[in-house]
Amino acid sequence: MAAHNLGTELDLSWISKVQVNHPAVLRRAQQVQARRTVKKEWQAAWLLKAVTFIDLTTLSGDDTSSNVQRLCYKAKYPIREDLLKALNMHDKDITTAAVCVYPARVCDAVRALKAAGCNIPVASVATGFPAGQTHLKTRLEEIRLAVEDGATEIDVVINRSLVLTGQWEGSDFIKTSTGKETVNATFPVAIVMLRAIRDFFWKTGNKIGFKPAGGIRSAKDALAWLSLIKEELGDEWLKPELFRIGASTLLSDIERQIYHHVTGRYAAYHDLPMS
C-alpha cells in the first residue's frame, strides 16, 4: 500500500514473548465460519460495502491491455446500474477500492481508469512478486518504475528469509499471502494477524491495515471477513484505508447475489457483464 507511516521505534521484547493459543484460535475460526449470515436487505447492504473493499485483481501471465481495460471498467461499474437503482444506491458512486496489476500493466490501468473518468487507485505487486527473491536493487527499481507509471499503492513482497531470521520490517498493511500460494487467506491465520494489529495499536497508537488475499471467491466468504474485521478490530477498520480484500472472482458472485436479491432469481451467464 502507499507508504505514509512515519515509523515508530521497534521494540522486539514484547513481540518475542507473544504466544498463540492454537486450539482457541481454531475454535474462534470455526465460530466465524459457522455463523449464519445476514439476510435480505441487510445482506445486500453488506455486500455493497464489501465491494468497496475489493482490490480487483488480475495477475496472470497472459494479461494484456485489453483485459486490464475490462477490469478497470468493472472496477468503476462493479454492479449493474439497474440493480443499484432498485436498491436506491445508484447515486452512491460505488466502486472497488483499487485495481491491482503487474508493474508492466500499470500504464494500461492508469490510462483505462482515466478514460473512465474515475480516480480509483492503481496498486501494483512490485518487488519480485510472488517470491520476493530478487536483488534489493531490482526490487526498488521495480517500485520506482511502477510509481513513475502511476501506481499509488505497492503490494510489497517481503524477503521471507528476513522474517524467518527475526529481521522484522514495518509496513502500513499486512497481507495474508501473495494469493499465489497453495494455501492463502485462512481464518485461523487472519485471527492471529488481526490480534497482532490490535495489540500493536494498543501499544503504539498506530493503525495497521489488513488484506486477506487468495481463495476468497464467494459472497458468503466476503460477509464472514467483514464480520471478523468488525468484531476483532471494530468499525474503525471497516474502511478501504485499513481493510482490503484481494480478489479476482469475488465480485462476480457478489453481483450474482445482489441480482438474486433484486429479481428473486439467479442470473444466467449472459445476464451479468464480464470483468
PDB file of all heavy atoms in Angstrom, residues 14 24-25 28 190-202 232-233:
ATOM      1  N   TRP A  14       8.564  -7.338  23.550  1.00  0.00           N
ATOM      2  CA  TRP A  14       7.218  -7.876  23.781  1.00  0.00           C
ATOM      3  C   TRP A  14       6.797  -8.818  22.669  1.00  0.00           C
ATOM      4  O   TRP A  14       6.027  -9.748  22.895  1.00  0.00           O
ATOM      5  CB  TRP A  14       6.201  -6.750  23.955  1.00  0.00           C
ATOM      6  CG  TRP A  14       5.905  -5.927  22.742  1.00  0.00           C
ATOM      7  CD1 TRP A  14       6.586  -4.838  22.309  1.00  0.00           C
ATOM      8  CD2 TRP A  14       4.837  -6.120  21.820  1.00  0.00           C
ATOM      9  NE1 TRP A  14       6.024  -4.339  21.160  1.00  0.00           N
ATOM     10  CE2 TRP A  14       4.948  -5.095  20.837  1.00  0.00           C
ATOM     11  CE3 TRP A  14       3.805  -7.055  21.707  1.00  0.00           C
ATOM     12  CZ2 TRP A  14       4.054  -4.984  19.773  1.00  0.00           C
ATOM     13  CZ3 TRP A  14       2.914  -6.930  20.655  1.00  0.00           C
ATOM     14  CH2 TRP A  14       3.045  -5.914  19.693  1.00  0.00           C
ATOM     15  N   ALA A  24      -7.646 -22.400  20.778  1.00  0.00           N
ATOM     16  CA  ALA A  24      -8.597 -21.295  20.917  1.00  0.00           C
ATOM     17  C   ALA A  24      -8.766 -20.557  19.591  1.00  0.00           C
ATOM     18  O   ALA A  24      -9.880 -20.141  19.241  1.00  0.00           O
ATOM     19  CB  ALA A  24      -8.110 -20.325  21.996  1.00  0.00           C
ATOM     20  N   VAL A  25      -7.681 -20.395  18.853  1.00  0.00           N
ATOM     21  CA  VAL A  25      -7.755 -19.738  17.539  1.00  0.00           C
ATOM     22  C   VAL A  25      -8.625 -20.553  16.592  1.00  0.00           C
ATOM     23  O   VAL A  25      -9.466 -20.010  15.863  1.00  0.00           O
ATOM     24  CB  VAL A  25      -6.339 -19.557  16.950  1.00  0.00           C
ATOM     25  CG1 VAL A  25      -6.423 -19.135  15.483  1.00  0.00           C
ATOM     26  CG2 VAL A  25      -5.568 -18.509  17.743  1.00  0.00           C
ATOM     27  N   ARG A  28     -12.277 -20.151  17.482  1.00  0.00           N
ATOM     28  CA  ARG A  28     -12.774 -18.834  17.038  1.00  0.00           C
ATOM     29  C   ARG A  28     -13.013 -18.836  15.525  1.00  0.00           C
ATOM     30  O   ARG A  28     -14.023 -18.305  15.041  1.00  0.00           O
ATOM     31  CB  ARG A  28     -11.749 -17.765  17.415  1.00  0.00           C
ATOM     32  CG  ARG A  28     -12.093 -16.366  16.889  1.00  0.00           C
ATOM     33  CD  ARG A  28     -13.233 -15.755  17.676  1.00  0.00           C
ATOM     34  NE  ARG A  28     -13.435 -14.371  17.268  1.00  0.00           N
ATOM     35  CZ  ARG A  28     -14.508 -13.929  16.617  1.00  0.00           C
ATOM     36  NH1 ARG A  28     -15.495 -14.737  16.315  1.00  0.00           N
ATOM     37  NH2 ARG A  28     -14.613 -12.663  16.289  1.00  0.00           N
ATOM     38  N   ALA A 190      -5.677 -15.376   9.919  1.00  0.00           N
ATOM     39  CA  ALA A 190      -6.173 -13.995   9.964  1.00  0.00           C
ATOM     40  C   ALA A 190      -6.427 -13.543  11.399  1.00  0.00           C
ATOM     41  O   ALA A 190      -6.134 -12.390  11.754  1.00  0.00           O
ATOM     42  CB  ALA A 190      -7.450 -13.881   9.142  1.00  0.00           C
ATOM     43  N   ILE A 191      -6.983 -14.415  12.220  1.00  0.00           N
ATOM     44  CA  ILE A 191      -7.276 -14.056  13.610  1.00  0.00           C
ATOM     45  C   ILE A 191      -5.997 -13.679  14.348  1.00  0.00           C
ATOM     46  O   ILE A 191      -5.949 -12.676  15.083  1.00  0.00           O
ATOM     47  CB  ILE A 191      -8.011 -15.211  14.322  1.00  0.00           C
ATOM     48  CG1 ILE A 191      -9.440 -15.320  13.773  1.00  0.00           C
ATOM     49  CG2 ILE A 191      -8.028 -15.007  15.834  1.00  0.00           C
ATOM     50  CD1 ILE A 191     -10.135 -16.599  14.133  1.00  0.00           C
ATOM     51  N   VAL A 192      -4.947 -14.456  14.141  1.00  0.00           N
ATOM     52  CA  VAL A 192      -3.663 -14.149  14.779  1.00  0.00           C
ATOM     53  C   VAL A 192      -3.139 -12.800  14.280  1.00  0.00           C
ATOM     54  O   VAL A 192      -2.672 -11.962  15.070  1.00  0.00           O
ATOM     55  CB  VAL A 192      -2.637 -15.264  14.498  1.00  0.00           C
ATOM     56  CG1 VAL A 192      -1.261 -14.873  15.042  1.00  0.00           C
ATOM     57  CG2 VAL A 192      -3.092 -16.575  15.143  1.00  0.00           C
ATOM     58  N   MET A 193      -3.240 -12.560  12.970  1.00  0.00           N
ATOM     59  CA  MET A 193      -2.753 -11.304  12.401  1.00  0.00           C
ATOM     60  C   MET A 193      -3.556 -10.108  12.910  1.00  0.00           C
ATOM     61  O   MET A 193      -2.994  -9.061  13.250  1.00  0.00           O
ATOM     62  CB  MET A 193      -2.802 -11.385  10.876  1.00  0.00           C
ATOM     63  CG  MET A 193      -1.851 -12.408  10.283  1.00  0.00           C
ATOM     64  SD  MET A 193      -2.062 -12.630   8.489  1.00  0.00           S
ATOM     65  CE  MET A 193      -1.381 -11.085   7.873  1.00  0.00           C
ATOM     66  N   LEU A 194      -4.874 -10.276  12.988  1.00  0.00           N
ATOM     67  CA  LEU A 194      -5.729  -9.174  13.439  1.00  0.00           C
ATOM     68  C   LEU A 194      -5.467  -8.828  14.898  1.00  0.00           C
ATOM     69  O   LEU A 194      -5.472  -7.651  15.282  1.00  0.00           O
ATOM     70  CB  LEU A 194      -7.197  -9.534  13.235  1.00  0.00           C
ATOM     71  CG  LEU A 194      -7.659  -9.640  11.781  1.00  0.00           C
ATOM     72  CD1 LEU A 194      -9.098 -10.143  11.714  1.00  0.00           C
ATOM     73  CD2 LEU A 194      -7.528  -8.304  11.068  1.00  0.00           C
ATOM     74  N   ARG A 195      -5.219  -9.841  15.705  1.00  0.00           N
ATOM     75  CA  ARG A 195      -4.950  -9.555  17.120  1.00  0.00           C
ATOM     76  C   ARG A 195      -3.563  -8.941  17.300  1.00  0.00           C
ATOM     77  O   ARG A 195      -3.345  -8.155  18.228  1.00  0.00           O
ATOM     78  CB  ARG A 195      -5.140 -10.823  17.948  1.00  0.00           C
ATOM     79  CG  ARG A 195      -6.612 -11.218  17.947  1.00  0.00           C
ATOM     80  CD  ARG A 195      -6.970 -12.339  18.869  1.00  0.00           C
ATOM     81  NE  ARG A 195      -8.410 -12.593  18.786  1.00  0.00           N
ATOM     82  CZ  ARG A 195      -9.042 -13.518  19.493  1.00  0.00           C
ATOM     83  NH1 ARG A 195      -8.365 -14.294  20.339  1.00  0.00           N
ATOM     84  NH2 ARG A 195     -10.352 -13.682  19.356  1.00  0.00           N
ATOM     85  N   ALA A 196      -2.652  -9.263  16.395  1.00  0.00           N
ATOM     86  CA  ALA A 196      -1.355  -8.585  16.412  1.00  0.00           C
ATOM     87  C   ALA A 196      -1.527  -7.112  16.044  1.00  0.00           C
ATOM     88  O   ALA A 196      -0.908  -6.233  16.656  1.00  0.00           O
ATOM     89  CB  ALA A 196      -0.395  -9.267  15.437  1.00  0.00           C
ATOM     90  N   ILE A 197      -2.385  -6.836  15.061  1.00  0.00           N
ATOM     91  CA  ILE A 197      -2.687  -5.446  14.698  1.00  0.00           C
ATOM     92  C   ILE A 197      -3.302  -4.709  15.881  1.00  0.00           C
ATOM     93  O   ILE A 197      -2.943  -3.563  16.177  1.00  0.00           O
ATOM     94  CB  ILE A 197      -3.645  -5.416  13.483  1.00  0.00           C
ATOM     95  CG1 ILE A 197      -2.909  -5.842  12.213  1.00  0.00           C
ATOM     96  CG2 ILE A 197      -4.240  -4.020  13.298  1.00  0.00           C
ATOM     97  CD1 ILE A 197      -3.818  -6.003  11.005  1.00  0.00           C
ATOM     98  N   ARG A 198      -4.231  -5.377  16.557  1.00  0.00           N
ATOM     99  CA  ARG A 198      -4.899  -4.764  17.709  1.00  0.00           C
ATOM    100  C   ARG A 198      -3.903  -4.481  18.837  1.00  0.00           C
ATOM    101  O   ARG A 198      -3.894  -3.383  19.420  1.00  0.00           O
ATOM    102  CB  ARG A 198      -6.022  -5.682  18.198  1.00  0.00           C
ATOM    103  CG  ARG A 198      -6.895  -5.060  19.291  1.00  0.00           C
ATOM    104  CD  ARG A 198      -8.067  -5.969  19.591  1.00  0.00           C
ATOM    105  NE  ARG A 198      -7.643  -7.244  20.153  1.00  0.00           N
ATOM    106  CZ  ARG A 198      -8.447  -8.301  20.299  1.00  0.00           C
ATOM    107  NH1 ARG A 198      -9.705  -8.231  19.906  1.00  0.00           N
ATOM    108  NH2 ARG A 198      -8.001  -9.421  20.833  1.00  0.00           N
ATOM    109  N   ASP A 199      -3.048  -5.457  19.136  1.00  0.00           N
ATOM    110  CA  ASP A 199      -2.051  -5.264  20.193  1.00  0.00           C
ATOM    111  C   ASP A 199      -1.091  -4.131  19.841  1.00  0.00           C
ATOM    112  O   ASP A 199      -0.722  -3.322  20.699  1.00  0.00           O
ATOM    113  CB  ASP A 199      -1.262  -6.560  20.416  1.00  0.00           C
ATOM    114  CG  ASP A 199      -2.080  -7.632  21.114  1.00  0.00           C
ATOM    115  OD1 ASP A 199      -3.183  -7.310  21.606  1.00  0.00           O
ATOM    116  OD2 ASP A 199      -1.627  -8.793  21.158  1.00  0.00           O
ATOM    117  N   PHE A 200      -0.689  -4.085  18.577  1.00  0.00           N
ATOM    118  CA  PHE A 200       0.234  -3.041  18.130  1.00  0.00           C
ATOM    119  C   PHE A 200      -0.423  -1.665  18.260  1.00  0.00           C
ATOM    120  O   PHE A 200       0.225  -0.689  18.665  1.00  0.00           O
ATOM    121  CB  PHE A 200       0.647  -3.303  16.682  1.00  0.00           C
ATOM    122  CG  PHE A 200       1.723  -2.388  16.181  1.00  0.00           C
ATOM    123  CD1 PHE A 200       3.039  -2.542  16.590  1.00  0.00           C
ATOM    124  CD2 PHE A 200       1.422  -1.362  15.292  1.00  0.00           C
ATOM    125  CE1 PHE A 200       4.038  -1.691  16.131  1.00  0.00           C
ATOM    126  CE2 PHE A 200       2.408  -0.504  14.824  1.00  0.00           C
ATOM    127  CZ  PHE A 200       3.730  -0.676  15.243  1.00  0.00           C
ATOM    128  N   PHE A 201      -1.705  -1.590  17.944  1.00  0.00           N
ATOM    129  CA  PHE A 201      -2.433  -0.316  18.081  1.00  0.00           C
ATOM    130  C   PHE A 201      -2.510   0.101  19.544  1.00  0.00           C
ATOM    131  O   PHE A 201      -2.299   1.271  19.881  1.00  0.00           O
ATOM    132  CB  PHE A 201      -3.828  -0.446  17.481  1.00  0.00           C
ATOM    133  CG  PHE A 201      -4.706   0.751  17.728  1.00  0.00           C
ATOM    134  CD1 PHE A 201      -4.384   1.990  17.178  1.00  0.00           C
ATOM    135  CD2 PHE A 201      -5.844   0.647  18.508  1.00  0.00           C
ATOM    136  CE1 PHE A 201      -5.179   3.108  17.400  1.00  0.00           C
ATOM    137  CE2 PHE A 201      -6.647   1.757  18.740  1.00  0.00           C
ATOM    138  CZ  PHE A 201      -6.312   2.986  18.186  1.00  0.00           C
ATOM    139  N   TRP A 202      -2.813  -0.846  20.411  1.00  0.00           N
ATOM    140  CA  TRP A 202      -2.896  -0.528  21.838  1.00  0.00           C
ATOM    141  C   TRP A 202      -1.564  -0.017  22.387  1.00  0.00           C
ATOM    142  O   TRP A 202      -1.519   0.860  23.249  1.00  0.00           O
ATOM    143  CB  TRP A 202      -3.350  -1.759  22.625  1.00  0.00           C
ATOM    144  CG  TRP A 202      -4.803  -2.062  22.479  1.00  0.00           C
ATOM    145  CD1 TRP A 202      -5.772  -1.258  21.959  1.00  0.00           C
ATOM    146  CD2 TRP A 202      -5.460  -3.282  22.857  1.00  0.00           C
ATOM    147  NE1 TRP A 202      -7.001  -1.896  21.977  1.00  0.00           N
ATOM    148  CE2 TRP A 202      -6.841  -3.132  22.528  1.00  0.00           C
ATOM    149  CE3 TRP A 202      -5.037  -4.474  23.431  1.00  0.00           C
ATOM    150  CZ2 TRP A 202      -7.773  -4.136  22.762  1.00  0.00           C
ATOM    151  CZ3 TRP A 202      -5.971  -5.485  23.668  1.00  0.00           C
ATOM    152  CH2 TRP A 202      -7.329  -5.303  23.333  1.00  0.00           C
ATOM    153  N   GLU A 232     -13.136  -8.092  15.585  1.00  0.00           N
ATOM    154  CA  GLU A 232     -11.782  -8.117  16.130  1.00  0.00           C
ATOM    155  C   GLU A 232     -11.157  -6.731  16.238  1.00  0.00           C
ATOM    156  O   GLU A 232     -10.401  -6.457  17.165  1.00  0.00           O
ATOM    157  CB  GLU A 232     -10.886  -9.021  15.268  1.00  0.00           C
ATOM    158  CG  GLU A 232     -11.243 -10.497  15.336  1.00  0.00           C
ATOM    159  CD  GLU A 232     -10.924 -11.119  16.693  1.00  0.00           C
ATOM    160  OE1 GLU A 232     -10.043 -10.589  17.402  1.00  0.00           O
ATOM    161  OE2 GLU A 232     -11.565 -12.129  17.038  1.00  0.00           O
ATOM    162  N   LEU A 233     -11.463  -5.841  15.273  1.00  0.00           N
ATOM    163  CA  LEU A 233     -10.816  -4.532  15.254  1.00  0.00           C
ATOM    164  C   LEU A 233     -11.787  -3.372  15.399  1.00  0.00           C
ATOM    165  O   LEU A 233     -11.384  -2.266  15.754  1.00  0.00           O
ATOM    166  CB  LEU A 233     -10.015  -4.363  13.952  1.00  0.00           C
ATOM    167  CG  LEU A 233      -8.830  -5.316  13.781  1.00  0.00           C
ATOM    168  CD1 LEU A 233      -8.171  -5.083  12.426  1.00  0.00           C
ATOM    169  CD2 LEU A 233      -7.817  -5.162  14.901  1.00  0.00           C
TER     170      LEU A 233
END
